[in-house]
Structures are given as structure tokens and as C-alpha cells.
Amino acid sequence: MRGVVYDGKHVQVVDDLVVREPGPGEVLVGVRAAGLCHSDLAVLDGTIPFPAPVVLGHEGAGVVEAVGPGVVHVVPGDHVALSTLANCGTCADCDRGRPTMCRKAIGMPKQPFSRSGTGQALYQFASNSSFAERTVVKAVQAVKIPEDLPLTSAALMGCGVLTGVGAVLNRAKVDRGDTVVVIGTGGIGLNVLQGARIAGALTIVAVDTNPAKEDVARRFGATHFLASADGVREVLPTGADHVFECVGHVGLVRQAIDLLDRHGQAVLLGMTAPTAEASFPPAAMFLDKSILGCRYGSSRPQRDIALYAELYREGRLLLDELVTETYPVEDFAKAAEDAEAGRVARGVLTF
């Protein structure tokens, strides 16, 4: 079968992948669509260290082909969106409703893939590897979705939507009438914008150096669009209740903190290099300001994906509008080039 493989130096589309059958508590999914997220590109440039060789992809949707013993919530033929959370479901964090904090779900990549010609084992990226025609995931990662939801759109719920909308609703808990600034309007930033709109934020300021992004930012919820964070104080003289940094640049982290009003929250979503450091004046924090990290939108995928699917069907959550371009998996290089250049909100690979 086809898939996108990174060997530690080069990335290529191969056609000789093999994936094992599902074991107890696992699901085999035929992937139909997978969004190309910057986290996949971050593996290629070393921002996210990951063992190689690895099958990339972590934002996908498809159709269940087989289930292992003990799986009862999905059956072959069901449409599913895939999360990256292979949480155990039994630890203290899972029991508290915090699956993103499950220690058994982080840092223990498995090797369910191999190459038919050599037998070489390949790692699974983010417990998912949706850049393959088929993948095996834990049952908790396969979330049943309505069959009328296009799989090219549903794929984006597995990462971009869970992260962006979840950061607003679950982590920051934006309330009606709040003021929000979103720095960076890529795939994550657009979902933060629509999360703020859904939450009822009064003023939503989008900041991006690319003026071509203004129309789509406003469509997703921005009430103002600025080419630089320097103009935010003209819109919000006392600062913002919530500032979301969606780029992963330490200078912008500092700007996010500086733009906060009293009792404001800076939420860090952009992925920086592991050794990068940001600085800020601690004295400013005594006005009840907060800096919040956020993993995967503090999501509970089985609950949140079902909620977002219903919001989509009601016309309140935009998914189709996120998909700028679709590419056959063989055109991965073009999809990556377009993503790097900022030409797409989200490019989606199809099988």
C-alpha cells in the first residue's frame, strides 16, 4: 500500500507499506483523507524530534475495515475521524477527564508498519500515521462520525480543529463578551478564530503578516485584521482577555504576553524548537496574568469530535472552508511546498 515515509534524511511516497492486523482493543482504518499539518513538516526539519524511519501523518479520517477483540463502539463500514491520543483510559489523568495528560500516550512510539520488500519496521507518528492507505490505532482514537460529513473535512477535526477550537473552549474557557487576539492565521489560528466566535467573544483580532489572509480570517470570526501586533493597542487600549500565539516564535510569545489586559491569559499553541527560550518581565504577571501551555486543545476526542460534527451540521463550525486544496498522496511534495509557503489554510492528501 502507499504511504509517506521519512527515513531521517529524506521523505518519499512509497507503495510497498504493510500494516499488521488489529490486536485486542485496536481498529484497522482505511484512510481516505489526511490533512497536512505543520507538525508533520516539523518532523522533517527537526523541530519535533522523532525516531526514523516513520510513516508520517496525524490528522485523518476514513472507514473502519476491521476491529480487534473487545472493540464494540465501531464496526467495519463506520466512518471515523482519528485522534492522536492513544490514552490508556485507566490512569489518574484519564479518570479526571484529562486524556491529553496520559503519560502512557506520550513518547512510546510503536512500529506497526513494515516494508514488504525488506521487512524493515517503521514507526507510527503520533500513534496515528494517517499518510498511509491503512493504519492501526487504539479503539479510543477512532471516533465515529456521521456518514454525511465529507471525509476530506472530517480529517481536520483530528488535529487542527481539536487543537484550535479546543484551546478556546477547553483551556482558555473564553466567555461571552471577552476580547481575543490570535497571532497567526494558519490552520490552527483559523480554528482559534472560529472557537472564539462560537464562544461569543465580542472583539476578535487576527494578526498575520500576509494581507491575503484577511478575507478568510474574517470569514472564520475575526472582527479586525492587522498586519502587525503593534496595532492591537489601537483596537484594545487596555489589552486583551486572551491572546493565542499560533506561530511558534519566541518573539511573538513575548508580544502575546505584552498584549494582555489585567487578568489576561496568553495561550501558547505554536511549536517552537525544543531548546528555544522566551523572556518576559515577571513583574507584569502580578496583575493576575497567566501563561498557559496547551496540548492538543485540552481535548477529550470522543466527546469533542462528536460535538464539533454537530456544530458543523448546524453551520456553526466551518470545516469545508478550511480545505484549500486536495492532493493525491503522490503529490505530497507539492502539498508540503504549498503549506510551507502559506498558500493554503489546510491541504488534504487523499487516497
Side-chain angles (χ1 to χ4, degrees), residues 253-255 257-258 278-287 289 291:
V253 170
R254 171 61 185 269
Q255 280 194 313
I257 295 167
D258 290 344
S279 62
F280 64 95
M285 307 308 291
F286 288 98
L287 292 172
K289 299 179 183 181
I291 303 171

Side-chain angles (χ1 to χ4, degrees), residues 62-321:
V63 179
V64 174
E65 294 191 359
V67 300
V71 177
V72 296
H73 76 291
V74 292
V75 298
D78 283 345
H79 287 205
V80 293
L82 302 177
S83 86
T84 69
L85 283 183
N87 58 295
C88 71
T90 59
C91 68
D93 285 305
C94 287
D95 191 51
R96 292 172 185 163
R98 302 189 308 200
T100 58
M101 296 296 104
C102 176
R103 286 174 172 81
K104 294 183 179 180
I106 303 172
M108 293 179 285
K110 296 188 170 50
Q111 295 175 297
F113 298 96
S114 61
R115 302 285 293 272
S116 61
T118 65
Q120 180 187 38
L122 295 94
Y123 286 100
Q124 185 172 40
F125 180 54
S127 303
N128 189 305
S129 289
S130 56
F131 291 171
E133 286 187 77
R134 295 179 185 84
T135 190
V136 169
V137 298
K138 290 185 67 172
V140 72
Q141 295 176 255
V143 184
K144 186 176 178 179
I145 56 174
E147 292 190 10
D148 61 353
L149 203 166
L151 290 173
T152 49
S153 299
L156 306 187
M157 292 197 293
C159 178
V161 176
L162 278 178
T163 299
V165 178
V168 174
L169 302 182
N170 301 328
R171 186 67 169 126
K173 300 187 186 302
V174 173
D175 201 358
R176 295 180 301 277
D178 283 356
T179 56
V180 172
V181 175
V182 181
I183 302 176
T185 60
I188 299 299
L190 290 177
N191 280 296
V192 174
L193 288 171
Q194 68 172 335
R197 170 178 51 77
I198 291 168
L202 182 63
T203 303
I204 306 172
V205 182
V207 179
D208 200 294
T209 56
N210 185 351
K213 293 185 176 183
E214 179 171 2
D215 287 346
V216 68
R218 289 185 179 276
R219 187 185 314 161
F220 275 74
T223 59
H224 299 73
F225 184 91
L226 302 173
S228 168
D230 295 337
V232 170
R233 290 286 181 174
E234 295 180 17
V235 180
L236 300 170
T238 63
D241 296 315
H242 313 274
V243 181
F244 296 83
E245 199 283 336
C246 304
V247 178
H249 186 284
V250 293
L252 296 177
V253 170
R254 171 61 185 269
Q255 280 194 313
I257 295 167
D258 290 344
L259 290 173
L260 294 176
D261 196 356
R262 299 181 179 191
H263 202 69
Q265 300 179 132
V267 185
L268 309 185
L269 297 178
M271 179 63 69
T272 63
T275 58
E277 297 183 1
S279 62
F280 64 95
M285 307 308 291
F286 288 98
L287 292 172
D288 284 0
K289 299 179 183 181
S290 304
I291 303 171
L292 304 180
C294 184
R295 173 173 162 78
Y296 205 44
S298 300
S299 298
R300 290 171 286 174
Q302 288 287 341
R303 171 188 179 274
D304 291 348
I305 288 177
L307 169 63
Y308 299 156
E310 287 306 310
L311 290 174
Y312 166 81
R313 297 173 88 184
E314 292 176 4
R316 298 168 62 190
L317 182 80
L318 305 181
L319 292 179
D320 303 337
E321 294 82 355

Side-chain angles (χ1 to χ4, degrees), residues 14-52:
V14 303
D15 60 6
D16 62 348
L17 279 182
V18 177
V19 66
R20 63 170 174 78
E21 292 297 311
E26 293 182 332
V27 178
L28 176 68
V29 176
V31 178
R32 298 291 186 270
L36 176 54
C37 174
H38 277 278
S39 293
D40 298 299
L41 301 178
V43 175
L44 304 184
D45 66 20
T47 301
I48 297 179
F50 205 88

